Amino acid sequence: MDKIVIEGGYPLEGEVVISGAKNAALPLIASALLAGGVHVFDNVPDLVDIKTLLKLLDYMGARSSRNGKRLEIDTRGADKCEAPYDLVRTMRASVLVLGPLLARFGQARVSLPGGCAIGARPINLHLKALEKMGVKIDLEQGYVIARVDELKGAPVYFDVVSVTGTENVMMAAALARGTTVIKNAACEPEVAALADYLGKMGARIKGAGTDTIVIEGVSELRSGHYNIIPDRIEAGTYMIAAGLTGGDLFLRNCQAGHLQAAIAKLREAGLVIDVDSDGMRVRRNGPIRSVDVKTQPYPGFPTDLQAQMVVLMTMGNGLSVITETIFENRFMHVGELQRMGADIIVEGRSAIIRGSGNLLAAPVMATDLRASASLILAGLVAEGKTEVSRVYHLDRGYERLEEKLSSVGARIWRVK
Ligand code: UD1
């Protein structure tokens, strides 16, 4: 299995081009199932998660081809309404095919995703909402068997804000009879991006990006073309890398508007961030200041940047409390960071970090996607050579990570 080795202590300087957003690309690719035709997406990141979803669409009968950052998906032959366990198991977001399959074919057999490293992550809210739209759901041998003669628009209220839940319902509602109103909807930019593309396909959607989305069902959608928005989590990770190493990075192709909570917190922590129309310049002049952070649904501080923020706070000048409110078990990186000398204790949903400004290299193990990124960040400032194993998690969500980091001065390489 591959390992990544990092020799710490080098400030990052130069320019990093931010890739297209994984979490925007995944629902967009799933939405191609809503209309048989050739869908064209630009700025698609080359990531394992994207390949996994394309494998699933391929299994269903679609065909895709990639040319650089352009991806074309031909869904005319897609008629197998099944998402098997082997594919869903490796990536939870495979559940995004449920809404489109029900909307177009009235049936779906989708494996339940099961637990994952960062918590139970059930899909009960997706199922409850679809039932309100008239779908009959049975669970058999770990599979959701869903059927509907005709999807009906309905009022849907999410007890907990769910990103993929909102996306699934929006896609199903686009082809339902009547109007669906989603309350307590996820406001993430990736949800708004999906609504944009659905609009190009002929859907009638208002309010995406707010907590109330109104979808008036139409009888048919057509394929279209869409340019994927930049990955705000990748950008946030590089911002933290610049601050941690005391470097000076320009992040090209990122949208500061999608990162307002992170920008505010990072400025409070002592980073200097200049935003212009091409991207963001991020650097640090003084010490890293310890700040408290609480993760929240968008527009709050993203849970997907929590692990990286914990690393920044190990270099802070005092005490920091980082509270995770979205996932119940998202502090797996803490044990590994402790092995690198970090002074962190976890109490319930909070990590209490005493900044010491000193991390020591060690062999560490990645446990999930964002935890892996945090270990790479720790390696960038630790004294000595840090070896991160199980890097397949990183390959799921960070495009050409070692290449991008090396190009701005990091000493980082992969060992096969
Ligand atoms: C998405 C993102 C992921 C991010 C997360 C939270 C994608 C592909 N992934 O994941 O990177 O970390 O949002 O911002 O976009 N929940 C339930 N029942 C449900 C659905 C969710 O209890 O049916 C709970 C979850 O366990 C979690 C919370 O709701 O505690 C939020 O999860 P959700 O927004 O659904 O996460 P994902 O959409 O899976």
Side-chain angles (χ1 to χ4, degrees), residues 22-23 26-27 92-93 96 118 120-126 160-165 167 188 303-304 326-328 330 370:
K22 167 179 89 74
N23 286 355
L26 292 172
R92 233 190 93 75
L96 282 166
I118 64 174
R121 294 182 90 176
I123 57 162
N124 57 316
L125 301 172
H126 301 229
V160 175
V161 177
S162 167
V163 176
T164 49
E167 291 165 346
E188 268 68 1
T303 171
D304 285 351
I326 312 286
F327 294 112
E328 71 270 24
R330 207 173 199 181
R370 306 303 169 186

Side-chain angles (χ1 to χ4, degrees), residues 212-251:
T212 303
I213 304 177
V214 181
I215 306 122
E216 214 182 295
V218 296
S219 57
E220 212 181 351
L221 296 171
R222 55 186 177 272
S223 57
H225 174 203
Y226 197 73
N227 195 23
I228 311 270
I229 59 171
D231 196 313
R232 62 195 166 95
I233 305 302
E234 188 197 25
T237 304
Y238 284 103
M239 289 170 82
I240 293 175
L244 255 180
T245 61
D248 188 347
L249 285 184
F250 185 76
L251 308 180

Side-chain angles (χ1 to χ4, degrees), residues 36-313:
V38 180
H39 300 251
V40 181
F41 299 118
D42 279 315
N43 200 29
V44 180
D46 188 10
L47 298 169
V48 172
D49 270 8
I50 304 289
K51 291 191 180 116
T52 304
L53 187 57
L54 291 174
K55 226 188 267 175
L56 177 56
L57 262 65
D58 192 69
Y59 174 87
M60 293 172 172
R63 292 292 166 261
S64 59
S65 63
R66 190 186 248 284
N67 185 359
K69 292 180 182 205
R70 172 168 283 198
L71 176 69
E72 292 192 6
I73 309 174
D74 182 347
T75 50
R76 281 173 296 190
D79 57 3
K80 188 166 185 182
C81 303
E82 187 188 323
Y85 176 63
D86 274 352
L87 291 168
V88 179
R89 176 175 62 88
T90 54
M91 189 185 64
R92 233 190 93 75
S94 314
V95 77
L96 282 166
V97 300
L98 185 58
L101 288 179
L102 282 166
R104 177 134 167 249
F105 303 105
Q107 53 170 311
R109 184 171 183 271
V110 174
S111 171
L112 281 166
C116 76
I118 64 174
R121 294 182 90 176
I123 57 162
N124 57 316
L125 301 172
H126 301 229
L127 301 183
K128 188 175 148 197
L130 291 168
E131 274 177 330
K132 279 212 88 176
M133 299 176 74
V135 179
K136 189 174 169 309
I137 290 173
D138 293 297
L139 299 181
E140 272 173 30
Q141 302 214 317
Y143 277 78
V144 173
I145 316 283
R147 289 182 210 92
V148 65
D149 288 333
E150 187 187 45
L151 273 171
K152 292 190 292 284
V156 168
Y157 170 76
F158 276 98
D159 299 330
V160 175
V161 177
S162 167
V163 176
T164 49
T166 302
E167 291 165 346
N168 243 337
V169 172
M170 212 162 67
M171 290 189 279
L175 283 175
R177 186 163 55 82
T179 303
T180 301
V181 179
I182 310 178
K183 295 261 184 189
N184 203 24
C187 306
E188 268 68 1
E190 293 77 15
V191 174
L194 173 63
D196 267 358
Y197 183 57
L198 294 175
K200 288 185 174 210
M201 289 168 81
R204 297 206 188 123
I205 303 179
K206 283 199 186 120
T210 75
D211 63 2
T212 303
I213 304 177
V214 181
I215 306 122
E216 214 182 295
V218 296
S219 57
E220 212 181 351
L221 296 171
R222 55 186 177 272
S223 57
H225 174 203
Y226 197 73
N227 195 23
I228 311 270
I229 59 171
D231 196 313
R232 62 195 166 95
I233 305 302
E234 188 197 25
T237 304
Y238 284 103
M239 289 170 82
I240 293 175
L244 255 180
T245 61
D248 188 347
L249 285 184
F250 185 76
L251 308 180
R252 191 169 291 281
N253 290 353
C254 61
Q255 277 192 28
H258 294 166
L259 277 157
Q260 291 192 24
I263 290 175
K265 266 299 151 191
L266 292 174
R267 281 187 175 143
E268 215 179 301
L271 274 61
V272 181
I273 301 167
D274 302 318
V275 176
D276 71 31
S277 55
D278 296 328
M280 273 189 280
R281 181 178 175 201
V282 187
R283 59 199 197 282
R284 172 164 64 84
N285 297 326
I288 296 173
R289 290 193 289 268
S290 293
V291 294
D292 295 339
V293 179
K294 198 182 226 182
T295 64
Q296 299 280 358
Y298 190 85
F301 190 93
T303 171
D304 285 351
L305 284 176
Q306 178 259 105
Q308 299 88 318
M309 196 66 190
V310 167
V311 177
L312 185 68
M313 289 300 100

